[in-house]
Amino acid sequence: GAVVSQHPSRVICKSGTSVKIECRSLDFQATTMFWYRQFPKQSLMLMATSNEGSKATYEQGVEKDKFLINHASLTLSTLTVTSAHPEDSSFYICSARNLDGRSGANVLTFGAGSRLTVL
Amino acid sequence: KQEVTQIPAALSVPEGENLVLNCSFTDSAIYNLQWFRQDPGKGLTSLLLIQSSQREQTSGRLNASLDKSSGRSTLYIAASQPGDSATYLCAVWRVGQFYFGTGTSLTVIP
């Protein structure tokens, strides 16, 4: 089945540094990927939609200069948290949209998530 | 805007019980609905996909139903096991975007 690899799974950084998280579709091409943020015991909050070859679409309230998204190829999207601060500490999850093999319906395949801790 | 609600927010049952998780959505014009499972600190694993033209899907001990007209889906788990303990989320696909429910945290007590 479809697999999405997300790396790193955990990262600890100092305040003011930038952190890059990668999301790769391993066995399919993903023209669309999504980036989510999840706070403890809460559901997923969509941050942005990443489209290959074009600019990402950010949700209201998400700072595009703070969370840089690049989708340079059909199998890779990256999220860079620039000048990270402690309030950016969170669990970030990516997903890729692909087609279900049997039905042809749009489905989501998720990465394992990245735990960011900013000291 | 599509809103997706899951009830209950948390559920605790003894091992072996059958249980039902509920998912409600406000806009019935959806293309499909997916049920996911999330273990603590992990990503989401897809459990079942129901297309808008379907009524239900089954996988092992899991059965998901969909009633578009009433904006509801249920996930039925038979003979629950401690390994089923996780958070379950539903998501509906509509007009280029997935909308997620608030999740149900399930604990199965041995």
Side-chain angles (χ1 to χ4, degrees):
Chain A
V3 177
V4 172
S5 173
Q6 188 173 342
H7 183 79
S9 58
R10 293 187 182 190
V11 57
I12 301 173
C13 68
K14 292 183 179 180
S15 185
T17 60
S18 294
V19 174
K20 180 185 284 187
I21 301 171
E22 293 188 347
C23 182
R24 293 181 184 271
S25 56
L26 296 187
D27 48 3
F28 65 98
Q29 293 182 332
T31 55
T32 304
M33 291 187 175
F34 302 92
W35 287 95
Y36 300 86
R37 184 172 180 175
Q38 188 176 35
F39 293 101
K41 298 187 185 294
Q42 294 189 24
S43 190
L44 304 174
M45 182 190 80
L46 179 65
M47 298 174 65
T49 301
S50 169
N51 297 298
E52 186 269 336
S54 65
K55 290 183 178 180
T57 304
Y58 289 81
E59 294 300 300
Q60 194 171 8
V62 178
E63 300 176 60
K64 59 181 67 175
D65 294 331
K66 174 74 164 178
F67 300 99
L68 299 179
I69 291 174
N70 184 282
H71 195 156
S73 79
L74 287 170
T75 58
L76 175 64
S77 176
T78 60
L79 167 68
T80 301
V81 183
T82 62
S83 187
H85 291 286
E87 58 266 29
D88 298 324
S89 298
S90 191
F91 191 58
Y92 294 89
I93 311 177
C94 73
S95 69
R97 189 185 73 185
N98 61 307
L99 297 179
D100 179 66
R102 284 192 303 173
S103 64
N106 283 288
V107 294
L108 282 180
T109 302
F110 280 83
S114 300
R115 171 75 58 192
L116 170 63
T117 302
V118 184
L119 303 176
Chain B
K1 182 184 175 183
Q2 178 75 271
E3 292 188 7
V4 184
T5 307
Q6 289 184 245
I7 295 174
L11 181 64
S12 184
V13 300
E15 181 177 2
E17 267 201 14
N18 303 324
L19 58 101
V20 175
L21 308 180
N22 297 292
C23 172
S24 301
F25 44 95
T26 53
D27 189 336
S28 63
I30 64 170
Y31 296 133
N32 62 43
L33 184 147
Q34 238 176 312
W35 279 95
F36 294 91
R37 167 190 173 136
Q38 184 178 29
D39 293 287
K42 306 287 186 183
L44 277 68
T45 301
S46 181
L47 298 173
L48 287 164
L49 164 71
I50 309 178
Q51 294 184 80
S52 61
S53 58
Q54 297 174 323
R55 285 268 183 186
E56 65 177 337
Q57 284 288 325
T58 298
S59 176
R61 294 183 292 108
L62 304 179
N63 175 277
S65 67
L66 174 64
D67 184 343
K68 269 184 54 178
S69 60
S70 65
R72 294 177 60 183
S73 175
T74 60
L75 179 66
Y76 175 81
I77 302 177
S80 59
Q81 302 171 358
D84 295 330
S85 298
T87 296
Y88 291 81
L89 295 106
C90 64
V92 298
W93 166 252
R94 180 181 181 276
V95 195
Q97 190 172 134
F98 283 89
Y99 296 86
F100 278 87
T102 45
T104 294
S105 177
L106 172 66
T107 302
V108 180
I109 304 167

